[in-house]
Amino acid sequence: MTGKDEDIGKFKVPSLRNVALTAPYMHDGSVATLSAVIDHYAHGLQNHPNQSPLLQTFDISETEKAALIAF
Ligand code: HEM
């Protein structure tokens, strides 16, 4: 959008209101379920040079994942 190298790969962070009703996910609909979205954040990050330092891989149990999806 801006043509600046430092903006490549950046997206506006979307609202998650009613997100359980709006599958498939991400800008291209490439992720089918919320469980798969969490797996992507946990282990599927691509380490793009412009990636936010907030995005770090992490471990999450199935119980924690179910709780996050319920929330
Ligand atoms: C584990 C914590 C997180 C969860 C559960 C989560 C959940 C989600 C979900 C469900 C979507 C898809 C929304 C949709 O398609 O309508 C999404 C997209 C997105 N999230 Fe997160 N998110 C998390 C952490 C973060 C963080 C820390 C950032 C920023 C530093 C972030 C930035 C984004 C952006 C930019 C998108 C849009 C990506 C795209 O359209 O391809 N998220 N997130």
mmCIF file with all atom_site columns, all heavy atoms in Angstrom, residues 11-14 16 19 22 25-27 34 37-38 41 52 54-55 58 68, ligand 1:
data_model
loop_
_atom_site.group_PDB
_atom_site.id
_atom_site.type_symbol
_atom_site.label_atom_id
_atom_site.label_alt_id
_atom_site.label_comp_id
_atom_site.label_asym_id
_atom_site.label_entity_id
_atom_site.label_seq_id
_atom_site.pdbx_PDB_ins_code
_atom_site.Cartn_x
_atom_site.Cartn_y
_atom_site.Cartn_z
_atom_site.occupancy
_atom_site.B_iso_or_equiv
_atom_site.pdbx_formal_charge
_atom_site.auth_seq_id
_atom_site.auth_comp_id
_atom_site.auth_asym_id
_atom_site.auth_atom_id
_atom_site.pdbx_PDB_model_num
ATOM   1   N  N   . PHE A 1 11 ? 0.203   -6.024  8.212  1.00 0.00 ? 11 PHE A N   1
ATOM   2   C  CA  . PHE A 1 11 ? -1.246  -5.997  8.073  1.00 0.00 ? 11 PHE A CA  1
ATOM   3   C  C   . PHE A 1 11 ? -1.831  -5.260  9.261  1.00 0.00 ? 11 PHE A C   1
ATOM   4   O  O   . PHE A 1 11 ? -1.273  -5.296  10.363 1.00 0.00 ? 11 PHE A O   1
ATOM   5   C  CB  . PHE A 1 11 ? -1.826  -7.421  8.110  1.00 0.00 ? 11 PHE A CB  1
ATOM   6   C  CG  . PHE A 1 11 ? -1.556  -8.230  6.875  1.00 0.00 ? 11 PHE A CG  1
ATOM   7   C  CD1 . PHE A 1 11 ? -0.341  -8.876  6.714  1.00 0.00 ? 11 PHE A CD1 1
ATOM   8   C  CD2 . PHE A 1 11 ? -2.516  -8.347  5.892  1.00 0.00 ? 11 PHE A CD2 1
ATOM   9   C  CE1 . PHE A 1 11 ? -0.096  -9.633  5.583  1.00 0.00 ? 11 PHE A CE1 1
ATOM   10  C  CE2 . PHE A 1 11 ? -2.278  -9.102  4.765  1.00 0.00 ? 11 PHE A CE2 1
ATOM   11  C  CZ  . PHE A 1 11 ? -1.059  -9.748  4.603  1.00 0.00 ? 11 PHE A CZ  1
ATOM   12  N  N   . LYS A 1 12 ? -2.981  -4.610  9.067  1.00 0.00 ? 12 LYS A N   1
ATOM   13  C  CA  . LYS A 1 12 ? -3.739  -4.085  10.195 1.00 0.00 ? 12 LYS A CA  1
ATOM   14  C  C   . LYS A 1 12 ? -4.216  -5.265  11.031 1.00 0.00 ? 12 LYS A C   1
ATOM   15  O  O   . LYS A 1 12 ? -4.698  -6.257  10.488 1.00 0.00 ? 12 LYS A O   1
ATOM   16  C  CB  . LYS A 1 12 ? -4.930  -3.286  9.674  1.00 0.00 ? 12 LYS A CB  1
ATOM   17  C  CG  . LYS A 1 12 ? -5.761  -2.617  10.757 1.00 0.00 ? 12 LYS A CG  1
ATOM   18  C  CD  . LYS A 1 12 ? -6.840  -1.753  10.098 1.00 0.00 ? 12 LYS A CD  1
ATOM   19  C  CE  . LYS A 1 12 ? -7.646  -0.995  11.145 1.00 0.00 ? 12 LYS A CE  1
ATOM   20  N  NZ  . LYS A 1 12 ? -8.449  -1.876  11.986 1.00 0.00 ? 12 LYS A NZ  1
ATOM   21  N  N   . VAL A 1 13 ? -4.058  -5.186  12.350 1.00 0.00 ? 13 VAL A N   1
ATOM   22  C  CA  . VAL A 1 13 ? -4.528  -6.255  13.231 1.00 0.00 ? 13 VAL A CA  1
ATOM   23  C  C   . VAL A 1 13 ? -6.058  -6.242  13.247 1.00 0.00 ? 13 VAL A C   1
ATOM   24  O  O   . VAL A 1 13 ? -6.665  -5.222  13.545 1.00 0.00 ? 13 VAL A O   1
ATOM   25  C  CB  . VAL A 1 13 ? -3.969  -6.074  14.656 1.00 0.00 ? 13 VAL A CB  1
ATOM   26  C  CG1 . VAL A 1 13 ? -4.500  -7.160  15.582 1.00 0.00 ? 13 VAL A CG1 1
ATOM   27  C  CG2 . VAL A 1 13 ? -2.445  -6.095  14.626 1.00 0.00 ? 13 VAL A CG2 1
ATOM   28  N  N   . PRO A 1 14 ? -6.700  -7.373  12.902 1.00 0.00 ? 14 PRO A N   1
ATOM   29  C  CA  . PRO A 1 14 ? -8.158  -7.390  12.799 1.00 0.00 ? 14 PRO A CA  1
ATOM   30  C  C   . PRO A 1 14 ? -8.827  -7.521  14.162 1.00 0.00 ? 14 PRO A C   1
ATOM   31  O  O   . PRO A 1 14 ? -8.252  -8.057  15.099 1.00 0.00 ? 14 PRO A O   1
ATOM   32  C  CB  . PRO A 1 14 ? -8.433  -8.644  11.963 1.00 0.00 ? 14 PRO A CB  1
ATOM   33  C  CG  . PRO A 1 14 ? -7.307  -9.558  12.306 1.00 0.00 ? 14 PRO A CG  1
ATOM   34  C  CD  . PRO A 1 14 ? -6.104  -8.672  12.529 1.00 0.00 ? 14 PRO A CD  1
ATOM   35  N  N   . LEU A 1 16 ? -11.247 -9.430  16.662 1.00 0.00 ? 16 LEU A N   1
ATOM   36  C  CA  . LEU A 1 16 ? -11.617 -10.839 16.799 1.00 0.00 ? 16 LEU A CA  1
ATOM   37  C  C   . LEU A 1 16 ? -13.066 -10.998 17.252 1.00 0.00 ? 16 LEU A C   1
ATOM   38  O  O   . LEU A 1 16 ? -13.488 -12.091 17.613 1.00 0.00 ? 16 LEU A O   1
ATOM   39  C  CB  . LEU A 1 16 ? -10.660 -11.552 17.766 1.00 0.00 ? 16 LEU A CB  1
ATOM   40  C  CG  . LEU A 1 16 ? -9.194  -11.587 17.321 1.00 0.00 ? 16 LEU A CG  1
ATOM   41  C  CD1 . LEU A 1 16 ? -8.364  -12.422 18.283 1.00 0.00 ? 16 LEU A CD1 1
ATOM   42  C  CD2 . LEU A 1 16 ? -9.036  -12.102 15.898 1.00 0.00 ? 16 LEU A CD2 1
ATOM   43  N  N   . VAL A 1 19 ? -15.241 -13.914 15.946 1.00 0.00 ? 19 VAL A N   1
ATOM   44  C  CA  . VAL A 1 19 ? -14.319 -14.610 15.048 1.00 0.00 ? 19 VAL A CA  1
ATOM   45  C  C   . VAL A 1 19 ? -14.654 -16.098 14.912 1.00 0.00 ? 19 VAL A C   1
ATOM   46  O  O   . VAL A 1 19 ? -14.352 -16.705 13.881 1.00 0.00 ? 19 VAL A O   1
ATOM   47  C  CB  . VAL A 1 19 ? -12.852 -14.391 15.506 1.00 0.00 ? 19 VAL A CB  1
ATOM   48  C  CG1 . VAL A 1 19 ? -12.508 -15.203 16.759 1.00 0.00 ? 19 VAL A CG1 1
ATOM   49  C  CG2 . VAL A 1 19 ? -11.882 -14.681 14.378 1.00 0.00 ? 19 VAL A CG2 1
ATOM   50  N  N   . THR A 1 22 ? -16.531 -16.779 11.662 1.00 0.00 ? 22 THR A N   1
ATOM   51  C  CA  . THR A 1 22 ? -16.084 -16.197 10.387 1.00 0.00 ? 22 THR A CA  1
ATOM   52  C  C   . THR A 1 22 ? -14.939 -16.965 9.725  1.00 0.00 ? 22 THR A C   1
ATOM   53  O  O   . THR A 1 22 ? -14.150 -16.382 8.992  1.00 0.00 ? 22 THR A O   1
ATOM   54  C  CB  . THR A 1 22 ? -15.680 -14.716 10.569 1.00 0.00 ? 22 THR A CB  1
ATOM   55  O  OG1 . THR A 1 22 ? -14.591 -14.652 11.516 1.00 0.00 ? 22 THR A OG1 1
ATOM   56  C  CG2 . THR A 1 22 ? -16.835 -13.881 11.073 1.00 0.00 ? 22 THR A CG2 1
ATOM   57  N  N   . TYR A 1 25 ? -9.839  -18.286 8.064  1.00 0.00 ? 25 TYR A N   1
ATOM   58  C  CA  . TYR A 1 25 ? -9.155  -17.148 8.669  1.00 0.00 ? 25 TYR A CA  1
ATOM   59  C  C   . TYR A 1 25 ? -7.977  -16.620 7.850  1.00 0.00 ? 25 TYR A C   1
ATOM   60  O  O   . TYR A 1 25 ? -7.455  -17.267 6.986  1.00 0.00 ? 25 TYR A O   1
ATOM   61  C  CB  . TYR A 1 25 ? -8.681  -17.544 10.077 1.00 0.00 ? 25 TYR A CB  1
ATOM   62  C  CG  . TYR A 1 25 ? -9.881  -17.939 10.925 1.00 0.00 ? 25 TYR A CG  1
ATOM   63  C  CD1 . TYR A 1 25 ? -10.091 -19.264 11.288 1.00 0.00 ? 25 TYR A CD1 1
ATOM   64  C  CD2 . TYR A 1 25 ? -10.831 -16.992 11.279 1.00 0.00 ? 25 TYR A CD2 1
ATOM   65  C  CE1 . TYR A 1 25 ? -11.213 -19.627 12.015 1.00 0.00 ? 25 TYR A CE1 1
ATOM   66  C  CE2 . TYR A 1 25 ? -11.954 -17.338 12.009 1.00 0.00 ? 25 TYR A CE2 1
ATOM   67  C  CZ  . TYR A 1 25 ? -12.142 -18.657 12.374 1.00 0.00 ? 25 TYR A CZ  1
ATOM   68  O  OH  . TYR A 1 25 ? -13.257 -19.009 13.081 1.00 0.00 ? 25 TYR A OH  1
ATOM   69  N  N   . MET A 1 26 ? -7.560  -15.440 8.247  1.00 0.00 ? 26 MET A N   1
ATOM   70  C  CA  . MET A 1 26 ? -6.465  -14.649 7.680  1.00 0.00 ? 26 MET A CA  1
ATOM   71  C  C   . MET A 1 26 ? -6.916  -13.991 6.359  1.00 0.00 ? 26 MET A C   1
ATOM   72  O  O   . MET A 1 26 ? -7.990  -14.255 5.857  1.00 0.00 ? 26 MET A O   1
ATOM   73  C  CB  . MET A 1 26 ? -5.182  -15.464 7.485  1.00 0.00 ? 26 MET A CB  1
ATOM   74  C  CG  . MET A 1 26 ? -4.704  -16.121 8.763  1.00 0.00 ? 26 MET A CG  1
ATOM   75  S  SD  . MET A 1 26 ? -4.536  -14.918 10.103 1.00 0.00 ? 26 MET A SD  1
ATOM   76  C  CE  . MET A 1 26 ? -3.787  -15.908 11.359 1.00 0.00 ? 26 MET A CE  1
ATOM   77  N  N   . HIS A 1 27 ? -6.050  -13.086 5.842  1.00 0.00 ? 27 HIS A N   1
ATOM   78  C  CA  . HIS A 1 27 ? -6.432  -12.255 4.705  1.00 0.00 ? 27 HIS A CA  1
ATOM   79  C  C   . HIS A 1 27 ? -6.782  -13.071 3.479  1.00 0.00 ? 27 HIS A C   1
ATOM   80  O  O   . HIS A 1 27 ? -7.537  -12.622 2.621  1.00 0.00 ? 27 HIS A O   1
ATOM   81  C  CB  . HIS A 1 27 ? -5.305  -11.272 4.368  1.00 0.00 ? 27 HIS A CB  1
ATOM   82  C  CG  . HIS A 1 27 ? -4.047  -11.959 3.906  1.00 0.00 ? 27 HIS A CG  1
ATOM   83  N  ND1 . HIS A 1 27 ? -3.203  -12.580 4.794  1.00 0.00 ? 27 HIS A ND1 1
ATOM   84  C  CD2 . HIS A 1 27 ? -3.530  -12.148 2.678  1.00 0.00 ? 27 HIS A CD2 1
ATOM   85  C  CE1 . HIS A 1 27 ? -2.187  -13.106 4.113  1.00 0.00 ? 27 HIS A CE1 1
ATOM   86  N  NE2 . HIS A 1 27 ? -2.374  -12.856 2.826  1.00 0.00 ? 27 HIS A NE2 1
ATOM   87  N  N   . LEU A 1 34 ? -9.842  -22.141 14.168 1.00 0.00 ? 34 LEU A N   1
ATOM   88  C  CA  . LEU A 1 34 ? -9.138  -21.366 15.191 1.00 0.00 ? 34 LEU A CA  1
ATOM   89  C  C   . LEU A 1 34 ? -8.004  -22.184 15.803 1.00 0.00 ? 34 LEU A C   1
ATOM   90  O  O   . LEU A 1 34 ? -6.954  -21.640 16.154 1.00 0.00 ? 34 LEU A O   1
ATOM   91  C  CB  . LEU A 1 34 ? -10.115 -20.894 16.266 1.00 0.00 ? 34 LEU A CB  1
ATOM   92  C  CG  . LEU A 1 34 ? -11.059 -19.773 15.810 1.00 0.00 ? 34 LEU A CG  1
ATOM   93  C  CD1 . LEU A 1 34 ? -12.081 -19.477 16.890 1.00 0.00 ? 34 LEU A CD1 1
ATOM   94  C  CD2 . LEU A 1 34 ? -10.278 -18.512 15.452 1.00 0.00 ? 34 LEU A CD2 1
ATOM   95  N  N   . VAL A 1 37 ? -5.167  -21.689 13.605 1.00 0.00 ? 37 VAL A N   1
ATOM   96  C  CA  . VAL A 1 37 ? -4.600  -20.341 13.772 1.00 0.00 ? 37 VAL A CA  1
ATOM   97  C  C   . VAL A 1 37 ? -3.633  -20.331 14.955 1.00 0.00 ? 37 VAL A C   1
ATOM   98  O  O   . VAL A 1 37 ? -2.513  -19.806 14.866 1.00 0.00 ? 37 VAL A O   1
ATOM   99  C  CB  . VAL A 1 37 ? -5.714  -19.288 13.991 1.00 0.00 ? 37 VAL A CB  1
ATOM   100 C  CG1 . VAL A 1 37 ? -5.105  -17.939 14.395 1.00 0.00 ? 37 VAL A CG1 1
ATOM   101 C  CG2 . VAL A 1 37 ? -6.571  -19.120 12.751 1.00 0.00 ? 37 VAL A CG2 1
ATOM   102 N  N   . ILE A 1 38 ? -4.053  -20.942 16.073 1.00 0.00 ? 38 ILE A N   1
ATOM   103 C  CA  . ILE A 1 38 ? -3.188  -20.962 17.261 1.00 0.00 ? 38 ILE A CA  1
ATOM   104 C  C   . ILE A 1 38 ? -1.922  -21.776 16.963 1.00 0.00 ? 38 ILE A C   1
ATOM   105 O  O   . ILE A 1 38 ? -0.817  -21.370 17.343 1.00 0.00 ? 38 ILE A O   1
ATOM   106 C  CB  . ILE A 1 38 ? -3.954  -21.525 18.463 1.00 0.00 ? 38 ILE A CB  1
ATOM   107 C  CG1 . ILE A 1 38 ? -5.095  -20.564 18.828 1.00 0.00 ? 38 ILE A CG1 1
ATOM   108 C  CG2 . ILE A 1 38 ? -3.015  -21.731 19.659 1.00 0.00 ? 38 ILE A CG2 1
ATOM   109 C  CD1 . ILE A 1 38 ? -6.081  -21.125 19.831 1.00 0.00 ? 38 ILE A CD1 1
ATOM   110 N  N   . TYR A 1 41 ? 0.451   -19.502 15.130 1.00 0.00 ? 41 TYR A N   1
ATOM   111 C  CA  . TYR A 1 41 ? 1.163   -18.571 16.001 1.00 0.00 ? 41 TYR A CA  1
ATOM   112 C  C   . TYR A 1 41 ? 2.188   -19.297 16.876 1.00 0.00 ? 41 TYR A C   1
ATOM   113 O  O   . TYR A 1 41 ? 3.263   -18.758 17.164 1.00 0.00 ? 41 TYR A O   1
ATOM   114 C  CB  . TYR A 1 41 ? 0.186   -17.823 16.908 1.00 0.00 ? 41 TYR A CB  1
ATOM   115 C  CG  . TYR A 1 41 ? -0.490  -16.667 16.231 1.00 0.00 ? 41 TYR A CG  1
ATOM   116 C  CD1 . TYR A 1 41 ? -1.842  -16.722 15.916 1.00 0.00 ? 41 TYR A CD1 1
ATOM   117 C  CD2 . TYR A 1 41 ? 0.212   -15.520 15.906 1.00 0.00 ? 41 TYR A CD2 1
ATOM   118 C  CE1 . TYR A 1 41 ? -2.475  -15.652 15.298 1.00 0.00 ? 41 TYR A CE1 1
ATOM   119 C  CE2 . TYR A 1 41 ? -0.396  -14.458 15.292 1.00 0.00 ? 41 TYR A CE2 1
ATOM   120 C  CZ  . TYR A 1 41 ? -1.746  -14.516 14.989 1.00 0.00 ? 41 TYR A CZ  1
ATOM   121 O  OH  . TYR A 1 41 ? -2.353  -13.466 14.376 1.00 0.00 ? 41 TYR A OH  1
ATOM   122 N  N   . SER A 1 52 ? 6.743   -8.425  13.804 1.00 0.00 ? 52 SER A N   1
ATOM   123 C  CA  . SER A 1 52 ? 6.750   -7.808  15.130 1.00 0.00 ? 52 SER A CA  1
ATOM   124 C  C   . SER A 1 52 ? 7.498   -8.677  16.127 1.00 0.00 ? 52 SER A C   1
ATOM   125 O  O   . SER A 1 52 ? 7.321   -9.902  16.147 1.00 0.00 ? 52 SER A O   1
ATOM   126 C  CB  . SER A 1 52 ? 5.307   -7.628  15.619 1.00 0.00 ? 52 SER A CB  1
ATOM   127 O  OG  . SER A 1 52 ? 5.325   -7.264  16.993 1.00 0.00 ? 52 SER A OG  1
ATOM   128 N  N   . LEU A 1 54 ? 6.686   -8.930  19.001 1.00 0.00 ? 54 LEU A N   1
ATOM   129 C  CA  . LEU A 1 54 ? 5.652   -9.524  19.857 1.00 0.00 ? 54 LEU A CA  1
ATOM   130 C  C   . LEU A 1 54 ? 5.351   -10.960 19.445 1.00 0.00 ? 54 LEU A C   1
ATOM   131 O  O   . LEU A 1 54 ? 4.822   -11.736 20.243 1.00 0.00 ? 54 LEU A O   1
ATOM   132 C  CB  . LEU A 1 54 ? 4.355   -8.713  19.782 1.00 0.00 ? 54 LEU A CB  1
ATOM   133 C  CG  . LEU A 1 54 ? 4.392   -7.317  20.382 1.00 0.00 ? 54 LEU A CG  1
ATOM   134 C  CD1 . LEU A 1 54 ? 3.117   -6.570  20.049 1.00 0.00 ? 54 LEU A CD1 1
ATOM   135 C  CD2 . LEU A 1 54 ? 4.582   -7.401  21.874 1.00 0.00 ? 54 LEU A CD2 1
ATOM   136 N  N   . LEU A 1 55 ? 5.663   -11.307 18.185 1.00 0.00 ? 55 LEU A N   1
ATOM   137 C  CA  . LEU A 1 55 ? 5.324   -12.634 17.667 1.00 0.00 ? 55 LEU A CA  1
ATOM   138 C  C   . LEU A 1 55 ? 6.500   -13.573 17.896 1.00 0.00 ? 55 LEU A C   1
ATOM   139 O  O   . LEU A 1 55 ? 7.462   -13.582 17.139 1.00 0.00 ? 55 LEU A O   1
ATOM   140 C  CB  . LEU A 1 55 ? 4.967   -12.543 16.178 1.00 0.00 ? 55 LEU A CB  1
ATOM   141 C  CG  . LEU A 1 55 ? 3.660   -11.800 15.904 1.00 0.00 ? 55 LEU A CG  1
ATOM   142 C  CD1 . LEU A 1 55 ? 3.515   -11.500 14.426 1.00 0.00 ? 55 LEU A CD1 1
ATOM   143 C  CD2 . LEU A 1 55 ? 2.480   -12.602 16.396 1.00 0.00 ? 55 LEU A CD2 1
ATOM   144 N  N   . PHE A 1 58 ? 5.701   -20.327 20.879 1.00 0.00 ? 58 PHE A N   1
ATOM   145 C  CA  . PHE A 1 58 ? 5.382   -20.683 22.269 1.00 0.00 ? 58 PHE A CA  1
ATOM   146 C  C   . PHE A 1 58 ? 4.775   -22.074 22.302 1.00 0.00 ? 58 PHE A C   1
ATOM   147 O  O   . PHE A 1 58 ? 4.334   -22.604 21.287 1.00 0.00 ? 58 PHE A O   1
ATOM   148 C  CB  . PHE A 1 58 ? 4.409   -19.661 22.875 1.00 0.00 ? 58 PHE A CB  1
ATOM   149 C  CG  . PHE A 1 58 ? 3.114   -19.498 22.120 1.00 0.00 ? 58 PHE A CG  1
ATOM   150 C  CD1 . PHE A 1 58 ? 2.016   -20.298 22.390 1.00 0.00 ? 58 PHE A CD1 1
ATOM   151 C  CD2 . PHE A 1 58 ? 3.013   -18.547 21.107 1.00 0.00 ? 58 PHE A CD2 1
ATOM   152 C  CE1 . PHE A 1 58 ? 0.815   -20.149 21.689 1.00 0.00 ? 58 PHE A CE1 1
ATOM   153 C  CE2 . PHE A 1 58 ? 1.821   -18.386 20.383 1.00 0.00 ? 58 PHE A CE2 1
ATOM   154 C  CZ  . PHE A 1 58 ? 0.730   -19.196 20.678 1.00 0.00 ? 58 PHE A CZ  1
ATOM   155 N  N   . LEU A 1 68 ? -8.578  -21.028 25.280 1.00 0.00 ? 68 LEU A N   1
ATOM   156 C  CA  . LEU A 1 68 ? -8.405  -19.820 24.464 1.00 0.00 ? 68 LEU A CA  1
ATOM   157 C  C   . LEU A 1 68 ? -9.485  -19.743 23.393 1.00 0.00 ? 68 LEU A C   1
ATOM   158 O  O   . LEU A 1 68 ? -10.075 -18.672 23.163 1.00 0.00 ? 68 LEU A O   1
ATOM   159 C  CB  . LEU A 1 68 ? -7.003  -19.834 23.827 1.00 0.00 ? 68 LEU A CB  1
ATOM   160 C  CG  . LEU A 1 68 ? -6.628  -18.654 22.933 1.00 0.00 ? 68 LEU A CG  1
ATOM   161 C  CD1 . LEU A 1 68 ? -6.788  -17.321 23.654 1.00 0.00 ? 68 LEU A CD1 1
ATOM   162 C  CD2 . LEU A 1 68 ? -5.198  -18.815 22.426 1.00 0.00 ? 68 LEU A CD2 1
HETATM 163 C  C1  . HEM B 2 .  ? -1.885  -16.322 20.436 1.00 0.00 ? 1  HEM B C1  1
HETATM 164 C  C2  . HEM B 2 .  ? -2.283  -15.062 20.309 1.00 0.00 ? 1  HEM B C2  1
HETATM 165 C  C3  . HEM B 2 .  ? -3.106  -14.679 19.083 1.00 0.00 ? 1  HEM B C3  1
HETATM 166 C  C4  . HEM B 2 .  ? -4.277  -15.227 18.659 1.00 0.00 ? 1  HEM B C4  1
HETATM 167 C  C5  . HEM B 2 .  ? -5.105  -16.360 19.282 1.00 0.00 ? 1  HEM B C5  1
HETATM 168 C  C6  . HEM B 2 .  ? -4.640  -14.522 17.434 1.00 0.00 ? 1  HEM B C6  1
HETATM 169 C  C7  . HEM B 2 .  ? -5.770  -14.786 16.663 1.00 0.00 ? 1  HEM B C7  1
HETATM 170 C  C8  . HEM B 2 .  ? -5.964  -14.328 15.376 1.00 0.00 ? 1  HEM B C8  1
HETATM 171 C  C9  . HEM B 2 .  ? -7.020  -14.755 14.482 1.00 0.00 ? 1  HEM B C9  1
HETATM 172 C  C10 . HEM B 2 .  ? -8.148  -15.742 14.829 1.00 0.00 ? 1  HEM B C10 1
HETATM 173 C  C11 . HEM B 2 .  ? -6.825  -14.103 13.320 1.00 0.00 ? 1  HEM B C11 1
HETATM 174 C  C12 . HEM B 2 .  ? -7.678  -14.236 12.039 1.00 0.00 ? 1  HEM B C12 1
HETATM 175 C  C13 . HEM B 2 .  ? -8.742  -13.169 12.022 1.00 0.00 ? 1  HEM B C13 1
HETATM 176 C  C14 . HEM B 2 .  ? -9.660  -13.313 10.812 1.00 0.00 ? 1  HEM B C14 1
HETATM 177 O  O1  . HEM B 2 .  ? -9.270  -13.961 9.809  1.00 0.00 ? 1  HEM B O1  1
HETATM 178 O  O2  . HEM B 2 .  ? -10.781 -12.772 10.852 1.00 0.00 ? 1  HEM B O2  1
HETATM 179 C  C15 . HEM B 2 .  ? -5.665  -13.243 13.449 1.00 0.00 ? 1  HEM B C15 1
HETATM 180 C  C16 . HEM B 2 .  ? -5.132  -12.429 12.460 1.00 0.00 ? 1  HEM B C16 1
HETATM 181 C  C17 . HEM B 2 .  ? -4.144  -11.495 12.652 1.00 0.00 ? 1  HEM B C17 1
HETATM 182 N  N1  . HEM B 2 .  ? -3.450  -11.258 13.809 1.00 0.00 ? 1  HEM B N1  1
HETATM 183 FE FE1 . HEM B 2 .  ? -3.548  -12.426 15.476 1.00 0.00 ? 1  HEM B FE1 1
HETATM 184 N  N2  . HEM B 2 .  ? -3.692  -13.557 17.173 1.00 0.00 ? 1  HEM B N2  1
HETATM 185 C  C18 . HEM B 2 .  ? -2.746  -13.621 18.152 1.00 0.00 ? 1  HEM B C18 1
HETATM 186 C  C19 . HEM B 2 .  ? -1.613  -12.805 18.263 1.00 0.00 ? 1  HEM B C19 1
HETATM 187 C  C20 . HEM B 2 .  ? -1.306  -11.740 17.437 1.00 0.00 ? 1  HEM B C20 1
HETATM 188 C  C21 . HEM B 2 .  ? -0.263  -10.762 17.670 1.00 0.00 ? 1  HEM B C21 1
HETATM 189 C  C22 . HEM B 2 .  ? 0.635   -10.743 18.900 1.00 0.00 ? 1  HEM B C22 1
HETATM 190 C  C23 . HEM B 2 .  ? -0.283  -9.901  16.616 1.00 0.00 ? 1  HEM B C23 1
HETATM 191 C  C24 . HEM B 2 .  ? 0.573   -8.679  16.324 1.00 0.00 ? 1  HEM B C24 1
HETATM 192 C  C25 . HEM B 2 .  ? 1.786   -8.478  16.846 1.00 0.00 ? 1  HEM B C25 1
HETATM 193 C  C26 . HEM B 2 .  ? -1.326  -10.336 15.717 1.00 0.00 ? 1  HEM B C26 1
HETATM 194 C  C27 . HEM B 2 .  ? -1.660  -9.738  14.512 1.00 0.00 ? 1  HEM B C27 1
HETATM 195 C  C28 . HEM B 2 .  ? -2.544  -10.252 13.599 1.00 0.00 ? 1  HEM B C28 1
HETATM 196 C  C29 . HEM B 2 .  ? -2.679  -9.769  12.220 1.00 0.00 ? 1  HEM B C29 1
HETATM 197 C  C30 . HEM B 2 .  ? -1.882  -8.645  11.586 1.00 0.00 ? 1  HEM B C30 1
HETATM 198 C  C31 . HEM B 2 .  ? -3.667  -10.567 11.630 1.00 0.00 ? 1  HEM B C31 1
HETATM 199 C  C32 . HEM B 2 .  ? -4.151  -10.508 10.180 1.00 0.00 ? 1  HEM B C32 1
HETATM 200 C  C33 . HEM B 2 .  ? -3.318  -11.523 9.387  1.00 0.00 ? 1  HEM B C33 1
HETATM 201 C  C34 . HEM B 2 .  ? -3.921  -11.826 8.029  1.00 0.00 ? 1  HEM B C34 1
HETATM 202 O  O3  . HEM B 2 .  ? -5.004  -11.321 7.676  1.00 0.00 ? 1  HEM B O3  1
HETATM 203 O  O4  . HEM B 2 .  ? -3.317  -12.620 7.277  1.00 0.00 ? 1  HEM B O4  1
HETATM 204 N  N3  . HEM B 2 .  ? -1.926  -11.448 16.253 1.00 0.00 ? 1  HEM B N3  1
HETATM 205 N  N4  . HEM B 2 .  ? -5.162  -13.399 14.719 1.00 0.00 ? 1  HEM B N4  1
#
